[in-house]
Amino acid sequence: MNSHIEPVDLKKAYRLINHGPTVLVSARHGGIDNVMAAAWACGLDFAPPKLTVVLDKTAKTRELVEKSGSFMIQVPTVAQLQLTHEVGTHSRFTEPDKLVNAGVQLFSVEGHDLPFVAGCSAWLACRLMVEPGNQEKYDLFIGEVVGAWADTRVFNNGHWNFERADPAWRSLHYIAGGHFYAIGDALSVDEGSKS
């Protein structure tokens, strides 16, 4: 594992996706790995930490999640704009070499049989909390976060530091039609002023 990648306390894992980034979802089953982009992912609970993500019925990653009972949520960076778009618009069902063609590099973390996407700023390993009604009717998947990591060049001491990091580390936020925004400048309220 990269020397800049450090574990994140599970009590603070929600902070890795609380700012609403586009995420990469990856899963593994039966010797097959896949990665897809998802715009609809968010934190759900603190203790134990949980998150939700929408996975369409047409996605190969969804099939792998349902069969394996686990998945990864990763926060891609501006430097991964093209990769994120590629894995979000191509299907492994029709393009078996999708990951190679998109330039996806995977790595492993001991104790987790999951594909981690290299180059991201954060990773959350999740155990699927099976909810057939939500999954079938709404394509909504709930994961309990069982491990979290971040790249210290952009997240440390439990906080994002986008404003001090190289702009290539900023998170992506998908709008539509191949159009993304990068997270913007940090703003803080004056805690001392009351109306």
Side-chain angles (χ1 to χ4, degrees):
M1 185 167 28
N2 184 309
S3 63
H4 292 286
I5 299 172
E6 296 284 337
V8 173
D9 186 333
L10 290 182
K11 292 178 186 171
K12 295 181 179 177
Y14 72 93
R15 294 181 182 181
L16 298 174
I17 61 165
N18 204 39
H19 62 297
T22 295
V23 299
L24 299 179
V25 184
S26 61
R28 170 181 291 154
H29 181 73
I32 297 172
D33 292 335
N34 202 35
V35 180
M36 65 174 277
W40 296 345
C42 69
L44 177 64
D45 203 351
F46 298 106
K50 297 180 194 77
L51 56 77
T52 62
V53 64
V54 173
L55 303 174
D56 190 83
K57 290 171 183 63
T58 61
K60 177 69 172 177
T61 303
R62 174 181 173 147
E63 176 187 303
L64 300 175
V65 169
E66 290 179 320
K67 288 181 176 178
S68 69
S70 61
F71 60 96
M72 288 295 304
I73 295 289
Q74 287 115 147
V75 179
T77 67
V78 165
Q80 295 173 301
L81 173 65
Q82 193 64 38
L83 178 151
T84 301
H85 187 258
E86 291 292 318
V87 299
T89 55
H90 296 273
S91 172
R92 178 126 191 212
F93 281 124
T94 57
E95 192 177 319
D97 294 330
K98 167 186 167 176
L99 299 186
V100 172
N101 295 341
V104 174
Q105 295 180 355
L106 301 174
F107 69 97
S108 300
V109 170
E110 190 175 334
H112 298 275
D113 185 23
L114 289 162
F116 287 64
V117 178
C120 292
S121 58
W123 301 262
L124 298 110
C126 300
R127 178 183 61 80
L128 177 63
M129 301 181 74
V130 180
E131 294 284 346
N134 286 342
Q135 292 166 207
E136 283 305 310
K137 189 171 184 180
Y138 304 110
D139 298 330
L140 183 68
F141 287 71
I142 299 172
E144 179 184 343
V145 179
V146 296
W149 301 263
D151 193 299
T152 57
R153 291 172 285 191
V154 70
F155 185 94
N156 56 44
N157 297 321
H159 298 281
W160 286 108
N161 297 296
F162 292 114
E163 66 276 19
R164 291 190 294 277
D166 184 306
W169 283 102
R170 291 186 179 221
S171 59
L172 298 170
H173 302 260
Y174 185 66
I175 304 304
H179 189 72
F180 292 78
Y181 281 97
I183 195 163
D185 296 327
L187 305 171
S188 296
V189 297
D190 181 357
E191 293 288 342
S193 67
K194 301 282 181 190
S195 333

